[in-house]
């Protein structure tokens, strides 16, 4: 049975969250996917992006989000599919702390 990419994505999201809270407007945020292949990938870049998105989204009714590429993992993204339980030593040692720092960023919450 053929499906569209949107339908496949929707089905996956339904499995992950069968009772989602729908957005009341456009979704805004950042995804640093491309940092994985260049310089400057690390906590400082993530926090800079969070501040930038927060500034751009100031007054927006929907809370912005930040996605950190899987290159934060110990394998640095070289092992597709994880493991996602150990951060890149010396860069992302504590992802819980990183998430708290993003949340604490002015205008990013």
């Amino acid at each position: 049975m053929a499906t569209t990419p949107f339908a496949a994505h929707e089905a996956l999201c339904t499995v992950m969250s069968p009772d989602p809270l729908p957005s009341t407007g456009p979704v805004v945020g950042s995804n640093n996917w491309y940092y994985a292949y260049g310089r400057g990938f690390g906590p400082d870049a993530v926090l800079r992006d969070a501040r930038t998105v927060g500034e751009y989204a100031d007054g927006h009714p929907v809370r912005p989000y930040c996605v950190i590429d899987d290159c934060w993992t110990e394998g640095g993204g070289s092992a597709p599919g994880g493991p996602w339980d150990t951060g890149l030593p010396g860069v992302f040692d504590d992802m819980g702390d990183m998430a708290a720092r993003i949340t604490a960023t002015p205008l990013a919450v």
Side-chain angles (χ1 to χ4, degrees):
M1 172 190 218
T3 187
T4 66
F6 180 81
H9 184 273
E10 186 176 45
L12 174 62
C13 289
T14 299
V15 169
M16 292 188 306
S17 180
D19 188 22
L21 299 173
S23 172
T24 58
V27 178
V28 296
S30 70
N31 183 334
N32 68 357
W33 175 268
Y34 297 106
Y35 286 129
Y37 305 106
R39 296 183 197 176
F41 179 70
D44 291 339
V46 170
L47 293 172
R48 182 184 64 238
D49 288 352
R51 283 189 302 272
T52 300
V53 169
E55 290 170 13
Y56 289 159
D58 188 23
H60 194 278
V62 179
R63 181 179 175 164
Y65 69 90
C66 289
V67 173
I68 302 174
D69 182 77
D70 71 348
C71 282
W72 66 267
T73 62
E74 187 173 11
S78 62
W84 293 304
D85 58 357
T86 307
L88 191 60
V91 181
F92 289 106
D93 293 318
D94 184 343
M95 287 304 286
D97 178 63
M98 185 78 252
R101 291 172 64 194
I102 291 169
T103 301
T105 299
L107 303 175
V109 295

